[in-house]
């Protein structure tokens, strides 16, 4: 959620717009900015910005958004007369320019240090690694994902609030003039230039030369210091070497010139890590970096230099480096058909990233043959002959292992690489587009190989990955652990230093699998796991999970069992407290307990009226250790319930203070759920409980956009049928066919979690990107969908929900919430875990 909260009239003044207000005062408050109408949660504090581009126009969606509850719009066109009076409209000449102007004005309210990162490669990884290293020390706001564009930067900066102690934003450009627009929005106090390469340089006349470097450096116009890598021998020329990091130097440049250096003295690979000796301020320091590839080393060295500038000690940096995790940006390793291993790098294509990908392939191959599927290189300053001769040299076997190595098979896609086919090894094959490749190539012809799939985004190489990866038969729920990690870190970034996290894994991990999530959270060092019943906690203990576990619900379980498995129960009434005290007296010890207070949920817990009895019992039996005091917020996500939430927080504080006074010590306090973390900093206390937010469901559209969807439910087409007018589909003949239709049967039904409420046209699935409505009643094990006009065949996947088709949309169709939908997915549906 943004730190912003401004009256609509103020925003109109800031952007020099004309306000047509539905209310006379113009005092309606704006908190969140929205640019995409699809799947968004609209609130009365949302400002929709109608951006216009070559292939989109946000003005088209205004009427629909008003019908969905939107009340504030930033527009370029005069609003339709029928809409005037229904919403506030701020009219400007250019909505993108106004968005940028608004973000720059918002940025001017804050004085915390701001790190601005730019460069050809590595921006997002450096940003994320700085966050990983500094998150325990600072309260950080940062760009979500790779939001570094003319639109992404202002939306990122809009998140800034007075609670933040450090901001980290990245900026990307594709042509001259763009950085001048981004600089006042970010206004970095510390500038970081990762490198200058040939990625995204097609918009510069001097491609690969000084023009792009000069343009990027404009981000640092008002920076107090900027940090960049230099070749040791040519500091004054800003000469960048990639990937050779030996003897490279990182400079910290202030307004008065070069202020400091960090120089690489030596670099040695030791197992799966790299030991680097650096010289800084006349002293040599040694660091261990848990990566061996050149790109990661360069990014880690940039992070070291930034941390040194921020005053962190070498010892502190060493400890944080050991905890760095890979940031899954482009390359993914997947199991392919016919025993192949696919390396998916279907995001970009330039010489530098190709060299990095080839190094990655070398490490992944372990002696196996390699197949390289590559596209045209769309952005390079070289002539076509020079460019593809260099690409061919990069792909040559002797470049892979220094001794000739096993031969590689090259498959090229695109007219440019086809025109230069004579540069590549004999036997290489070339196709004009992905469609032709998919018709003529099949992994059965190169079984057991390692296949690099690398192409510029416009070629759509993700379709090759989708076709060639191993497909598990039947309905699957795919869970992205990297998305869950990202979402966890989002919430951690909102917390003050020292506030702990409890990750909720109850109800089979919200349907996504408690064990895998518990392993992830243990690795991420969350402080507690939350389960509903003791058997869930016992299963985790039996699988080796050692993280502290709180059991939240009242199912009667022997205290001896809880003690034996080191599970910590809630006590919520006199009987449950007496049980813990009796066990403590009989056994001499008992597991720590968590006292549940009822501050308004009226489900479980001691009410304020019952507090005197609780305090008396605690005085009489002091031997039971109270680990925490907790309660539940009733409506932390709902602005209409804010007054009640404030009353709950106040009651919780009063009751907890009284308990502390009797105990003589202060147990942890926690009341905030995912929405409470975002909207109620005053409810953070000592610990927070993160649940649905881990799965990508935010408190509002703005936060949901910052999170990553963590689950995708898909089912393959089992059969196709041709039906005619009058035919019926399913039990009760509820699905009546009108006209000639094609019906697909999917092996997913209400026993799998596809609710019967979605039947008879209420719900839909997505096949080949098109909606296919459910026809007839949903059966126990199957459902039928109308695929008339949709190109599909048996085995094609139908999507119930995924990143493009939000789970919130399906829940809305069911008349429920995402919690119910996720937790209702049957355990017979196979869970498949991916990382990115």
């Amino acid at each position: 959620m943004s730190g912003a909260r401004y009256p609509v009239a103020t925003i109109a003044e800031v952007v020099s717009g004309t306000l047509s207000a539905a209310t006379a005062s113009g005092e309606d408050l704006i908190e969140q900015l929205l640019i995409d109408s699809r799947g968004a949660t609209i609130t009365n504090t949302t400002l929709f910005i109608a951006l216009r581009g070559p292939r989109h126009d946000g003005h088209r969606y205004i009427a629909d958004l008003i019908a969905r509850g939107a009340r504030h719009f930033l527009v370029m066109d005069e609003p339709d007369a029928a809409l005037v009076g229904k919403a506030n409209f701020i009219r400007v000449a250019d909505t993108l320019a106004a968005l940028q102007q608004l973000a720059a004005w918002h940025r001017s309210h804050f004085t915390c240090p701001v790190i601005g990162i730019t460069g050809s490669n590595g921006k997002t990884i450096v940003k994320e690694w700085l966050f990983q290293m500094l998150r325990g020390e600072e309260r950080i706001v940062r760009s979500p994902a790779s939001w570094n564009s003319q639109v992404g930067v202002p939306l990122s900066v809009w998140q800034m609030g007075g609670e933040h102690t450090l901001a980290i934003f990245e900026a990307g450009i594709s042509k001259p003039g763009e950085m001048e627009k981004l600089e006042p929005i970010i206004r970095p106090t510390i500038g970081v230039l990762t490198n200058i390469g040939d990625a995204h340089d097609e918009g510069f006349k001097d491609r690969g030369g000084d023009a792009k470097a000069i343009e990027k450096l404009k981000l640092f116009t008002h920076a107090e210091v900027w940090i960049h890598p230099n070749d040791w021998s040519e500091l004054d020329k800003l000469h960048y070497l990639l990937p050779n990091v030996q003897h490279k130097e990182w400079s910290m440049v202030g307004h008065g010139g070069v202020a400091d250096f960090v120089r690489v003295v030596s670099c040695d690979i030791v197992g799966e890590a790299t030991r680097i000796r650096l010289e800084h301020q006349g002293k040599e320091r040694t660091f261990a970096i848990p990566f061996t590839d050149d790109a990661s080393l360069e990014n880690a060295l940039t992070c070291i230099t930034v941390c040194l500038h921020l005053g962190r000690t070498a010892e502190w940096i060493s400890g944080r480096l050991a905890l760095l995790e890979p940031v899954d940006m482009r390359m993914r390793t997947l199991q392919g058909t016919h025993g192949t291993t696919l390396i998916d790098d279907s995001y970009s294509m330039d010489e530098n990233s190709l060299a990095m990908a080839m190094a990655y392939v070398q490490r992944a191959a372990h002696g196996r043959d390699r197949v390289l599927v590559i596209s045209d290189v769309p952005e390079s300053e070289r002539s076509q002959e020079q460019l593809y001769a260099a690409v061919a040299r990069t792909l040559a076997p002797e470049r892979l292992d220094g001794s000739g190595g096993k031969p590689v098979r090259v498959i090229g896609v695109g007219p440019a690489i086809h025109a230069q086919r004579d540069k590549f090894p004999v036997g290489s094959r070339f196709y004009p587009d992905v469609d032709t490749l998919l018709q003529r190539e099949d992994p059965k012809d190169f079984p057991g190989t390692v296949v690099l799939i690398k192409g510029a985004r416009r070629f759509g190489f993700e379709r090759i990955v989708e076709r060639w990866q191993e497909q598990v038969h039947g309905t699957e729920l795919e869970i992205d652990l990297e998305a869950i990690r990202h979402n966890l870190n989002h919430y951690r970034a909102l917390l003050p230093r020292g506030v702990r996290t409890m990750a909720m894994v109850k109800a089979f991990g919200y349907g996504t699998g408690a064990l895998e999530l518990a392993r992830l959270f243990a690795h991420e060092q969350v402080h507690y796991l939350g389960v509903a019943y003791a058997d869930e906690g016992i299963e985790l203990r039996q699988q080796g999970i050692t993280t502290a576990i709180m059991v939240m619900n009242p199912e009667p379980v022997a205290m001896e069992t809880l003690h034996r498995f080191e599970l910590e129960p809630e006590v919520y009434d006199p009987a449950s407290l007496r049980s813990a005290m009796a066990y403590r007296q009989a056994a001499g010890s008992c597991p720590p307990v968590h006292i549940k207070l009822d501050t308004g949920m009226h489900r479980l817990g001691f009410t304020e009226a019952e507090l005197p009895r609780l305090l008396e019992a605690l005085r009489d039996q002091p031997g039971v250790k109270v680990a925490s005091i907790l309660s539940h917020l009733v409506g932390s996500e709902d602005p209409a319930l804010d007054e009640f939430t404030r009353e709950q927080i106040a009651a919780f504080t009063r009751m907890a203070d009284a308990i502390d006074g009797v105990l003589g010590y202060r147990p942890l306090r926690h009341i905030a759920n995912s929405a409470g973390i975002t909207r109620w900093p005053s409810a953070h206390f000592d610990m927070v409980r993160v649940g649905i937010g881990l799965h990508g469901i935010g408190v509002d559209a703005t936060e949901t956009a910052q999170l990553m969807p963590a689950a995708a439910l898909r089912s393959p087409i089992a059969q196709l049928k041709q039906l005619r007018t009058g035919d019926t589909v399913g039990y009760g003949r509820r699905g009546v066919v009108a006209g000639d239709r094609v019906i697909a049967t999917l092996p997913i039904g209400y026993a799998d979690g596809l609710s019967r409420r979605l039947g008879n046209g209420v719900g839909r699935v997505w096949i080949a990107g098109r909606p296919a409505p459910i026809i007839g009643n949903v059966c126990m094990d199957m459902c039928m969908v109308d695929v008339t006009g949709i190109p599909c065949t048996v085995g094609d996947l139908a999507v119930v929900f995924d990143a493009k088709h939000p789970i919130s949309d399906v829940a809305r169709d069911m008349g429920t919430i995402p919690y119910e939908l996720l937790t209702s997915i049957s355990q017979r549906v196979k869970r498949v875990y991916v990382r990115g």
Side-chain angles (χ1 to χ4, degrees):
M1 185 172 180
S2 168
R5 189 176 175 89
Y6 303 118
V8 66
T10 300
I11 290 179
E13 181 180 355
V14 168
V15 300
S16 301
T18 302
L19 174 62
S20 300
T23 56
S25 68
E27 290 301 310
D28 293 334
L29 294 176
I30 300 300
E31 289 184 335
Q32 58 180 340
L33 305 181
L34 179 66
I35 62 168
D36 190 342
S37 64
R38 295 169 296 180
T41 300
I42 306 296
T43 74
N44 59 6
T45 62
T46 299
L47 175 65
F48 179 76
I49 300 166
L51 297 176
R52 178 174 289 150
R55 290 182 289 274
H56 67 274
D57 187 353
H59 295 80
R60 299 173 185 168
Y61 308 104
I62 291 176
D64 177 65
L65 286 165
I66 289 178
R68 293 168 54 191
R71 292 296 177 265
H72 313 289
F73 296 86
L74 182 65
V75 300
M76 290 187 285
D77 299 342
E78 188 73 27
D80 189 286
L83 302 178
V84 174
K86 295 182 179 180
N88 296 319
F89 292 90
I90 303 172
R91 190 179 179 195
V92 295
D94 184 339
T95 49
L96 175 58
L99 167 64
Q100 294 172 339
Q101 186 176 356
L102 176 61
W105 176 79
H106 175 65
R107 162 69 181 91
S108 70
H109 289 73
F110 306 104
T111 58
C112 70
V114 176
I115 300 175
I117 305 173
T118 191
S120 297
N121 303 99
K123 297 183 292 295
T124 301
I125 294 176
V126 167
K127 177 200 68 185
E128 292 299 317
W129 280 358
L130 285 173
F131 171 74
Q132 290 180 26
M133 295 177 75
L134 293 164
R135 65 186 177 195
E137 301 279 328
E138 306 282 356
R139 186 161 185 185
I140 300 172
V141 57
R142 72 195 196 282
S143 306
S146 297
W147 287 19
N148 57 33
S149 67
Q150 297 291 298
V151 174
V153 167
L155 292 178
S156 298
V157 171
W158 185 256
Q159 301 174 98
M160 288 187 76
E163 70 275 17
H164 296 121
T165 62
L166 179 67
I168 310 175
F169 301 122
E170 56 178 294
I173 57 172
S174 58
K175 59 185 179 182
E178 290 186 335
M179 195 62 85
E180 292 175 353
K181 298 175 182 178
L182 299 183
E183 190 278 333
I185 302 172
I186 298 177
R187 191 56 63 98
T189 57
I190 302 169
V192 175
L193 181 66
T194 56
N195 56 58
I196 298 293
D198 60 2
H200 312 295
D201 68 357
E202 58 190 330
F204 296 89
K205 293 180 180 179
D206 182 17
R207 296 170 73 176
D210 293 338
K212 187 163 63 173
I214 292 171
E215 181 71 14
K216 288 182 180 292
L217 292 178
K218 291 178 181 178
L219 178 62
F220 311 142
T221 302
H222 297 94
E224 298 170 6
V225 64
W226 62 281
I227 293 166
H228 65 86
N230 283 88
D231 177 53
W232 173 243
S233 61
E234 296 184 285
L235 291 174
D236 58 327
K237 296 182 181 179
L238 293 180
H239 182 67
Y240 299 88
L241 294 180
L242 184 71
N244 179 24
V245 299
Q246 290 282 358
H247 308 301
K248 177 173 274 192
E249 184 167 276
W250 271 252
S251 298
M252 289 175 270
V253 183
H255 287 301
V258 175
D260 204 357
F261 295 109
V262 175
R263 186 170 70 92
V264 177
V265 177
S266 65
C267 177
D268 303 295
I269 294 176
V270 181
E272 297 298 319
T274 303
R275 185 174 61 226
I276 290 192
R277 193 154 48 96
L278 303 179
E279 179 185 336
H280 177 237
Q281 295 181 345
K283 297 180 180 179
E284 289 193 359
R285 311 165 189 270
T286 301
F287 298 92
I289 299 172
F291 304 96
T292 58
D293 63 287
D294 293 307
S296 294
L297 298 185
E298 175 143 311
N299 293 330
L301 287 164
T302 300
C303 292
I304 290 172
T305 307
V306 172
C307 289
L308 287 170
H309 170 72
L310 291 174
R312 299 314 194 267
T313 65
E315 294 73 17
W316 182 94
I317 294 172
S318 293
R320 297 308 172 98
L321 286 173
L323 300 176
L324 286 183
E325 292 287 340
V327 178
D328 189 358
M329 289 301 301
R330 296 175 184 172
M331 281 182 279
R332 300 185 302 147
T333 301
L334 309 168
Q335 185 60 47
T337 58
H338 302 283
T340 57
T341 297
L342 308 182
I343 297 175
D344 174 13
D345 194 10
S346 54
Y347 178 88
S348 70
M349 182 63 176
D350 60 79
E351 291 182 72
N352 284 342
S353 65
L354 178 60
M356 296 176 196
M358 291 304 297
Y360 186 90
V361 170
Q362 179 184 5
R363 291 190 297 273
H366 298 296
R368 290 180 287 169
D369 289 344
R370 286 145 286 194
V371 177
L372 312 176
V373 185
I374 59 174
S375 76
D376 286 353
V377 179
E379 304 165 0
S380 177
E381 78 281 3
R382 301 188 192 216
S383 69
Q384 295 290 286
E385 291 77 10
Q386 292 175 327
L387 170 63
Y388 287 99
V391 169
R393 286 194 298 272
T394 301
L395 304 182
E398 60 270 14
R399 290 293 301 273
L400 297 178
D401 57 15
S403 61
K406 285 182 173 288
V408 297
R409 177 181 297 187
V410 177
I411 301 174
V413 176
I417 196 171
H418 180 269
Q420 302 295 325
R421 58 190 179 277
D422 61 304
K423 307 289 192 303
F424 294 88
V426 174
S428 300
R429 296 194 288 273
F430 301 89
Y431 302 102
D433 51 42
V434 168
D435 287 331
T436 309
L437 179 147
L438 291 175
Q439 291 171 8
R440 300 184 184 179
E441 296 286 350
D442 194 304
K444 69 181 181 182
D445 298 323
F446 37 88
T449 58
V450 175
V451 184
L452 172 67
I453 301 173
K454 180 169 182 59
R457 177 175 285 175
R458 67 183 176 87
F459 284 91
F461 269 28
E462 66 272 10
R463 294 169 54 209
I464 304 174
V465 177
E466 291 169 2
R467 177 74 64 86
W468 287 0
Q469 66 180 321
E470 185 71 52
Q471 302 291 335
V472 179
H473 296 295
T475 301
E476 290 184 357
L477 181 67
E478 181 183 275
I479 300 98
D480 185 348
L481 297 178
E482 285 300 321
I484 293 175
R485 186 201 308 272
H486 167 91
N487 298 337
L488 172 65
N489 288 336
H490 166 85
Y491 288 102
R492 280 176 159 172
L494 300 177
L495 302 175
R497 186 185 309 174
V499 174
R500 305 184 183 192
T501 52
M502 177 185 292
M504 305 309 298
V505 295
K506 62 179 182 175
F508 196 52
Y510 285 61
T512 60
L515 179 58
E516 288 298 326
L517 265 60
R519 288 171 174 159
L520 171 66
F521 297 141
H523 180 76
E524 291 296 306
Q525 298 181 328
V526 301
H527 299 89
Y528 267 92
L529 301 174
V531 299
Y533 295 104
D535 56 355
E536 295 176 325
I538 291 170
E539 172 67 18
L540 295 179
R541 287 286 186 250
Q542 291 174 335
Q543 296 295 329
I545 300 299
T546 59
T547 304
I549 297 175
M550 184 181 76
V551 181
M552 302 190 71
N553 285 359
E555 182 183 54
V557 176
M559 287 296 298
E560 186 278 330
T561 301
L562 295 172
H563 198 187
R564 177 157 43 95
F565 287 99
E566 297 182 348
L567 304 177
E568 302 177 17
E570 281 187 1
V571 294
Y572 54 91
D573 65 359
S576 58
L577 180 59
R578 283 196 300 269
S579 175
M581 290 177 169
Y583 182 80
R584 165 71 174 80
Q585 279 190 319
S589 65
C590 74
V593 300
H594 301 257
I595 297 178
K596 169 73 73 64
L597 302 179
D598 182 358
T599 58
M601 179 73 78
H602 299 326
R603 186 173 61 182
L604 292 174
F606 295 92
T607 66
E608 199 158 11
E610 296 168 327
L611 185 61
R613 290 182 62 192
L614 171 62
L615 298 179
E616 183 180 354
L618 293 174
R619 287 191 192 98
D620 292 342
Q621 297 289 341
V624 175
K625 174 71 174 179
V626 179
S628 80
I629 305 168
L630 70 147
S631 188
H632 286 272
L633 294 176
V634 171
S636 58
E637 75 287 350
D638 188 350
L641 298 177
D642 280 357
E643 183 57 35
F644 190 79
T645 299
R646 279 187 279 270
E647 292 173 2
Q648 281 195 276
I649 295 170
F652 178 68
T653 301
R654 288 194 304 270
M655 297 170 73
D657 285 346
I659 294 171
D660 289 354
V662 169
L663 293 176
Y665 59 90
R666 192 180 191 278
L668 297 173
R669 300 182 185 187
H670 50 109
I671 192 173
N673 56 2
S674 298
I677 296 170
T678 304
R679 296 193 70 240
W680 294 96
S682 60
H684 290 169
F685 292 106
D686 305 303
M687 185 160 66
V688 296
R689 304 188 299 269
V690 195
I692 195 65
L694 293 168
H695 303 276
I697 309 298
V699 70
D700 53 29
T702 299
E703 183 173 61
T704 297
Q706 297 167 14
L707 301 172
M708 296 176 64
L713 182 61
R714 306 183 183 98
S715 187
I717 295 175
Q719 189 177 21
L720 293 168
K721 289 183 178 292
Q722 302 281 342
L723 300 183
R724 296 182 177 180
T725 299
D727 288 340
T728 60
V729 178
Y731 288 115
R733 304 193 70 189
R734 294 291 302 278
V736 180
V737 174
D740 293 343
R741 314 300 293 174
V742 181
I743 306 301
T745 300
L746 309 177
I748 181 172
Y750 60 78
D752 301 295
L754 189 71
S755 173
R756 292 186 84 247
R757 286 172 281 178
L758 295 172
N760 301 299
V762 173
R764 72 195 64 78
V765 299
W766 298 83
I767 299 174
R770 303 185 191 179
I774 298 174
I775 182 169
N777 287 323
V778 175
C779 307
M780 179 182 290
D781 307 303
M782 288 171 280
C783 70
M784 286 68 74
V785 299
D786 189 340
V787 296
T788 306
I790 300 176
C792 58
T793 187
V794 171
D796 286 355
L797 289 178
V799 174
V800 180
F801 58 80
D802 64 4
K804 293 182 179 179
H805 310 99
I807 188 173
S808 55
D809 288 356
V810 185
R812 181 195 62 217
D813 293 342
M814 290 172 57
T816 186
I817 56 177
Y819 294 76
E820 179 182 348
L821 179 53
L822 265 180
T823 57
S824 67
I825 298 172
S826 168
Q827 292 194 35
R828 79 178 187 181
V829 173
K830 183 172 183 178
R831 272 67 176 172
V832 177
Y833 299 94
V834 300
R835 292 184 178 271

